[in-house]
Amino acid sequence: MTDLPEWELQLQQNLAGIRRSGENLAKSAASITGHAEVRGVTIEVSANGDITSLQIAPGAMRWTSAQLTSALLDCHRRARADAAAKTEQIIRNADSRLRNPMQELLGKAEAAVTEPRQPMTEEEIQAADDAYFDRMNRRGWNR
């Protein structure tokens, strides 16, 4: 068995490293902006897709409502895609201890390859049942 104080020191160092990586990730994420320009319309968005800057060229003001709407929507979509790509790049370069949980949060975790489960034997089923009822008897059935 390893020395407990040595193990605690190692654990504290690991936690400090994760905190530093988390702070760096948070700073990087806070600085993300997406940018796009479509036919005289320029949009800048934050990391979560909110518009932070919108510029419309004077010539675009002569467009029909449908043309301006189309340009605005297309530009916003492209700016959001730009921000998403920058976010993914930051996550790809993040500390591996943070990368996987971030990908899970964003719903982009790589599907884990799991082996098909083998059917349980009668003994395994009985042991699982016994463990369940033992747990329930200790905790109480009304919880």
Side-chain angles (χ1 to χ4, degrees):
M1 183 170 172
T2 60
D3 184 28
L4 186 58
E6 181 181 318
W7 178 79
E8 287 178 340
L9 179 63
Q10 180 65 39
L11 184 60
Q12 288 174 354
Q13 290 171 346
N14 286 341
L15 288 173
I18 290 171
R19 282 191 190 102
R20 276 192 306 276
S21 295
E23 289 168 0
N24 291 339
L25 184 62
K27 286 177 188 174
S28 296
S31 68
I32 293 174
T33 58
H35 181 84
E37 185 172 345
V38 175
R39 301 183 326 241
V41 174
T42 304
I43 293 180
E44 185 176 278
V45 298
S46 63
N48 61 355
D50 295 333
I51 296 174
T52 57
S53 175
L54 169 64
Q55 297 175 355
I56 302 172
M61 300 306 287
R62 292 188 291 273
W63 296 346
T64 66
S65 174
Q67 289 172 321
L68 184 56
T69 299
S70 175
L72 285 168
L73 291 174
D74 187 36
C75 192
H76 185 233
R77 181 186 52 76
R78 289 182 186 194
R80 288 178 55 150
D82 182 44
K86 290 175 181 176
T87 300
E88 288 179 20
Q89 181 63 35
I90 286 173
I91 291 171
R92 266 195 305 275
N93 294 332
D95 184 326
S96 63
R97 297 171 293 189
L98 299 174
R99 182 181 329 117
N100 295 337
M102 290 295 297
Q103 288 174 330
E104 284 181 28
L105 283 174
L106 295 173
K108 298 180 184 198
E110 296 175 7
V113 178
T114 58
E115 295 182 21
R117 292 185 64 176
Q118 298 294 324
M120 294 174 76
T121 65
E122 280 299 319
E123 293 82 24
E124 291 171 328
I125 293 170
Q126 186 62 49
D129 282 349
D130 291 345
Y132 171 77
F133 285 108
D134 185 51
R135 243 185 352 266
M136 293 305 291
N137 286 333
R138 278 187 272 124
R139 283 192 332 180
W141 287 89
N142 293 328
R143 289 187 181 188

